[in-house]
Amino acid sequence: MKPPAREPLSHTRRSALHLEVRDTYQSTDPDFLAWREGRRTFTPGNRADWWEGWHDVVHAATCRGVSVRRARVVSEPLTEYVRWEYAYTVTNLAAGEQVRWLPRRSARDLAVPAVDYWVFDGELVLFHHFSGDGALIEREYVTDPALAAWCTSAFHEVWERATPHEEYKPVD
């Protein structure tokens, strides 16, 4: 499989945009399973509990001035998996990401790709293709300028409507 997002992020100069549109991902994630069983998987104030390679790459990028933004288009009420992501988002924020949430019903008139993707510096697009049960099956890198522009525009449409993590309150 091609390298994960941390590879191009480590070379990004200006911006990294990440759009997530799925309601579930790989449900065999050990941290998710522990959370699901009621075990606390991390203590927000204790970075040793959760800081890992991804956080290092994001932190390094933001320290060199890269804007790293993640927008999640979600169904409400949230699925169990996305509730876990919501709880775990404090780690993304601590690393320097900005995260916003957009309920799917508020995106009904937006044209966005039907897959998760990253856009690095407005030039390189990384599409994540998942199986129905949320397992990552392919990373597809594309350098088509028109596609990168469209994905960037779609991300900005979502971003403008989405609610910052600190203000978003999931519907039960």
Side-chain angles (χ1 to χ4, degrees):
M1 189 176 298
K2 293 180 180 172
R6 68 182 66 187
E7 172 77 18
L9 182 57
S10 68
H11 304 291
T12 299
R13 299 173 315 277
R14 297 179 313 277
S15 66
L17 311 174
H18 187 194
L19 183 68
E20 295 179 351
V21 296
R22 293 184 53 87
D23 284 325
T24 191
Y25 294 88
Q26 189 168 4
S27 58
T28 57
D29 182 298
D31 290 332
F32 168 67
L33 294 174
W35 175 85
R36 189 174 171 197
E37 294 168 2
R39 291 184 279 133
R40 187 168 189 99
T41 57
F42 71 99
T43 305
N46 182 3
R47 287 187 180 193
D49 281 357
W50 50 265
W51 194 271
E52 54 190 40
W54 172 249
H55 299 103
D56 288 331
V57 174
V58 171
H59 185 68
T62 58
C63 284
R64 62 176 190 274
V66 175
S67 171
V68 181
R69 295 186 288 167
R70 178 186 305 257
R72 292 179 167 137
V73 179
V74 295
S75 297
E76 289 183 324
L78 301 180
T79 63
E80 185 176 42
Y81 192 93
V82 175
R83 283 195 333 254
W84 172 70
E85 284 187 320
Y86 178 80
Y88 203 74
T89 296
V90 297
T91 68
N92 300 86
L93 300 174
E97 283 189 53
Q98 299 172 58
V99 180
R100 291 189 181 184
W101 301 81
L102 182 65
R104 200 169 304 283
R105 71 178 176 279
S106 298
R108 69 185 176 282
D109 60 336
L110 298 180
V112 298
V115 296
D116 289 14
Y117 64 88
W118 283 89
V119 180
F120 302 97
D121 287 333
E123 300 168 358
L124 175 65
V125 182
L126 165 55
F127 291 104
H128 286 136
H129 300 287
F130 294 91
S131 65
D133 65 359
L136 179 63
I137 56 174
E138 181 186 2
R139 292 184 188 100
E140 178 187 10
Y141 285 92
V142 180
T143 56
D144 177 333
L147 185 58
W150 182 67
C151 288
T152 298
S153 177
F155 178 88
H156 286 290
E157 292 278 331
V158 169
W159 188 259
E160 289 304 312
R161 284 194 194 176
T163 304
H165 177 76
E166 299 81 2
E167 299 170 24
Y168 177 68
K169 304 297 179 235
V171 173
D172 291 331

